[in-house]
PDB file of all heavy atoms in Angstrom:
ATOM      1  N   THR A 245      21.901  41.584 -27.299  1.00  0.00           N
ATOM      2  CA  THR A 245      21.705  40.825 -26.026  1.00  0.00           C
ATOM      3  C   THR A 245      21.452  41.869 -24.885  1.00  0.00           C
ATOM      4  O   THR A 245      22.307  42.644 -24.526  1.00  0.00           O
ATOM      5  CB  THR A 245      22.934  39.986 -25.713  1.00  0.00           C
ATOM      6  OG1 THR A 245      23.128  39.032 -26.782  1.00  0.00           O
ATOM      7  CG2 THR A 245      22.817  39.236 -24.402  1.00  0.00           C
ATOM      8  N   PHE A 311       7.695  20.028 -16.142  1.00  0.00           N
ATOM      9  CA  PHE A 311       9.031  19.872 -15.704  1.00  0.00           C
ATOM     10  C   PHE A 311       9.900  21.089 -16.217  1.00  0.00           C
ATOM     11  O   PHE A 311      10.055  21.307 -17.376  1.00  0.00           O
ATOM     12  CB  PHE A 311       9.638  18.574 -16.361  1.00  0.00           C
ATOM     13  CG  PHE A 311       9.358  17.378 -15.533  1.00  0.00           C
ATOM     14  CD1 PHE A 311       8.393  17.415 -14.537  1.00  0.00           C
ATOM     15  CD2 PHE A 311      10.130  16.224 -15.647  1.00  0.00           C
ATOM     16  CE1 PHE A 311       8.160  16.350 -13.706  1.00  0.00           C
ATOM     17  CE2 PHE A 311       9.846  15.098 -14.895  1.00  0.00           C
ATOM     18  CZ  PHE A 311       8.869  15.148 -13.896  1.00  0.00           C
ATOM     19  N   TYR A 465      25.891  23.533 -21.255  1.00  0.00           N
ATOM     20  CA  TYR A 465      24.406  23.571 -21.557  1.00  0.00           C
ATOM     21  C   TYR A 465      23.953  22.329 -22.335  1.00  0.00           C
ATOM     22  O   TYR A 465      24.633  21.855 -23.216  1.00  0.00           O
ATOM     23  CB  TYR A 465      24.064  24.838 -22.440  1.00  0.00           C
ATOM     24  CG  TYR A 465      22.597  25.007 -22.624  1.00  0.00           C
ATOM     25  CD1 TYR A 465      21.834  25.710 -21.611  1.00  0.00           C
ATOM     26  CD2 TYR A 465      21.930  24.591 -23.752  1.00  0.00           C
ATOM     27  CE1 TYR A 465      20.502  25.928 -21.815  1.00  0.00           C
ATOM     28  CE2 TYR A 465      20.576  24.762 -23.887  1.00  0.00           C
ATOM     29  CZ  TYR A 465      19.876  25.437 -22.961  1.00  0.00           C
ATOM     30  OH  TYR A 465      18.502  25.682 -23.115  1.00  0.00           O
TER      31      TYR A 465
END
Side-chain angles (χ1 to χ4, degrees):
Chain A
T245 300
F311 273 18
Y465 188 84

